[in-house]
Each structure stands twice: as structure tokens, then as C-alpha cells.
Amino acid sequence: MPNGVAWLALTGMFDVYIFFLTHHSNGNTYWENNEEQPGRTRWVDYKQHDFDSTQLDPIWHAWLSHTRCEPPSTDRVAQSFERSWQIPAFENMTGTRGAYRPYNTTKPKLYAWEPKIATRRG
């Protein structure tokens, strides 16, 4: 679907126009509804079921949180946001098999601590 395609959703007796903005390269779909109450006008449909906010690009996150007025698909400044020397954003892998685990450089202990229990005198 091209940018700016309007979808008409009938909710009760009111006609609500929801604007489809774009599909992003990571598969997320971004939407905007300016007739909703402030702060709830922009949202994202994640491609994956177990979504995480790190699956968003930083510039799209800025648009969703109302830091930027124009969506990155139409904003010239946002389109030149990424530089050639930057690595692409990637999602946080904490809690998965792809998580970063540093290797240990310390020597293992030869003798582990064993508590000694003193007898009570009573």
C-alpha cells in the first residue's frame, strides 16, 4: 500500500479516518489517527507477536512519542538522519540465546568457601 492511503473504519455511528503511513523495512506498520484524543494518535503494529520497543528504529520512536511532527517517511531531515558510518539499529536480545555473554578472565578458585559450624555451649 502506498503512503497516505486512508482507511475508513466504521465505529458505531461515527466515521473515523485512520491513515496508514508506511511499512518499514523491519516489517512494522505505522498508523496515525488525528481525530483521537491527544497522545493516542500514533501507533505501530509490530511484525512479531512478542514485540519489544527495541524493534523500532530510533527515528520512528521519536515520531511515535511526538518528538517529531512529520513521519520519517515524509520528513526530509529524518530521511537523511542515518549516516553511512552508522550501524543499523537492532533489537535487544536480552533473555534470548542471542544475548551477549562476556567471557570470564579470572582464575577459578581452588578451594570454595565452606562454612564451619561451631558447637554451641549451653
Side-chain angles (χ1 to χ4, degrees):
M1 289 181 242
N3 293 343
V5 174
W7 292 97
L8 177 64
L10 298 175
T11 57
M13 296 179 64
F14 303 101
D15 293 338
V16 179
Y17 291 95
I18 300 173
F19 291 95
F20 166 77
L21 292 174
T22 187
H23 281 292
H24 196 257
S25 61
N26 56 8
N28 296 335
T29 308
Y30 299 92
W31 300 85
E32 184 173 26
N33 178 6
N34 290 325
E35 295 177 4
E36 186 63 52
Q37 60 182 328
R40 302 182 71 179
T41 58
R42 299 172 180 173
W43 68 94
V44 60
D45 288 331
Y46 290 94
K47 177 183 176 183
Q48 298 176 359
H49 176 68
D50 53 344
F51 52 86
D52 184 15
S53 63
T54 60
Q55 294 171 349
L56 295 174
D57 283 344
I59 195 70
W60 278 103
H61 185 271
W63 177 78
L64 284 170
S65 59
H66 295 274
T67 305
R68 302 197 62 86
C69 294
E70 295 294 320
S73 58
T74 60
D75 190 4
R76 280 198 227 168
V77 175
Q79 290 174 353
S80 62
F81 180 73
E82 293 183 5
R83 304 286 184 220
S84 60
W85 48 266
Q86 289 177 321
I87 60 171
F90 55 91
E91 68 178 285
N92 186 358
M93 303 299 280
T94 302
T96 64
R97 301 187 104 209
Y100 172 73
R101 289 186 181 89
Y103 60 92
N104 190 0
T105 59
T106 60
K107 293 181 181 179
K109 293 183 178 180
L110 296 177
Y111 303 104
W113 177 74
E114 294 180 16
K116 295 181 181 174
I117 301 172
T119 58
R120 290 187 159 192
R121 297 182 187 168

